[in-house]
Amino acid sequence: VVDNFRLLADFGRRRWAMDRHTDNVMAYAALDRALSETLLNNTYMMKGLTYLVVSSYVLLNGVDVISGEMRCGMFLACLSVCKMMGTLWSSLYDLGIKCVLTSGSLERIVSIINQPCEAKRRMELSTHVHEVGHRITSEMVAEDPTLDESCLDKLPIQVDGMSISLQSRPISRVDVFRTTELFFHGLHIQ
């Protein structure tokens, strides 16, 4: 729609395009919002689990510290280990989420890469172009021994039946309306 705005505007089809794509845009916005909410919840899940583990550790082993069965230093060391493990698991969980988010794109890339292609046809065309170019260059070198095979300035360019070559004919010989040949500053197009 954005790429074809002028076309839509010129033919009075703005309203039609708006009606047609409004539902798609609204559906996309709703899905994008739901995905953003889910991702936000997922980023806080491991932090919440870490707080749950730390608070459980404090409740269960805090009583041992108060009763004297566990030293305060050991309690604090174990508490900091629980916090570091929670941070580590949170980082791993975030990496897992990123892997899951990229898996859909990777699946699309693999399926697109594995689509059948016209590689054989392109190879045949490339071989043909190479052979014709080599033949024309060899003929030109045979006609004019002063040329070497790397001189491409005099090689004619052929595109879908149209031949373009460099020649030195004056412009006055050209009648564009009566002939299919055009001479312009030494450029000869048939």
Side-chain angles (χ1 to χ4, degrees):
V1 173
V2 175
D3 293 337
N4 297 325
F5 175 75
R6 288 294 345 146
L7 183 65
L8 291 170
D10 290 344
F11 286 100
R13 303 292 290 191
R14 289 182 190 182
R15 193 75 193 145
W16 171 81
M18 285 175 46
D19 293 340
R20 182 174 177 197
H21 295 290
T22 299
D23 293 337
N24 293 339
V25 170
M26 296 302 283
Y28 174 78
L31 290 173
D32 187 51
R33 181 180 174 137
L35 177 66
S36 297
E37 290 172 356
T38 303
L39 289 176
L40 185 64
N41 289 339
N42 284 341
T43 57
Y44 285 110
M45 189 189 102
M46 286 308 293
K47 292 177 184 176
L49 285 176
T50 301
Y51 292 138
L52 181 68
V53 168
V54 167
S55 61
S56 299
Y57 179 78
V58 168
L59 287 175
L60 295 175
N61 292 329
V63 175
D64 292 339
V65 172
I66 292 172
S67 66
E69 294 178 18
M70 181 185 271
R71 297 201 156 191
C72 186
M74 182 64 105
F75 173 76
L76 293 175
C78 290
L79 190 63
S80 67
V81 167
C82 287
K83 286 181 182 179
M84 283 195 287
M85 285 178 55
T87 305
L88 173 70
W89 280 106
S90 180
S91 299
L92 288 175
Y93 189 73
D94 289 342
L95 286 174
I97 288 173
K98 289 178 182 176
C99 289
V100 168
L101 288 175
T102 58
S103 66
S105 298
L106 289 174
E107 287 176 5
R108 282 191 292 278
I109 289 171
V110 168
S111 68
I112 289 170
I113 287 175
N114 289 323
Q115 293 291 320
C117 64
E118 53 183 34
K120 183 178 179 184
R121 184 172 180 271
R122 286 186 185 272
M123 184 179 69
E124 290 170 354
L125 179 64
S126 177
T127 304
H128 174 72
V129 167
H130 177 71
E131 289 171 354
V132 169
H134 183 67
R135 181 180 49 80
I136 291 172
T137 306
S138 299
E139 290 171 1
M140 289 178 66
V141 170
E143 289 175 8
D144 188 2
T146 60
L147 297 175
D148 62 356
E149 289 193 19
S150 63
C151 179
L152 299 177
D153 291 339
K154 298 200 181 241
L155 189 65
I157 300 169
Q158 298 175 350
V159 179
D160 286 337
M162 182 175 72
S163 177
I164 302 171
S165 61
L166 188 63
Q167 300 198 1
S168 58
R169 291 190 184 176
I171 270 183
S172 60
R173 294 188 185 174
V174 176
D175 186 1
V176 176
F177 298 106
R178 292 191 189 140
T179 182
T180 58
E181 294 183 358
L182 171 65
F183 299 95
F184 185 69
H185 295 292
L187 186 64
H188 174 235
I189 302 175
Q190 294 191 135

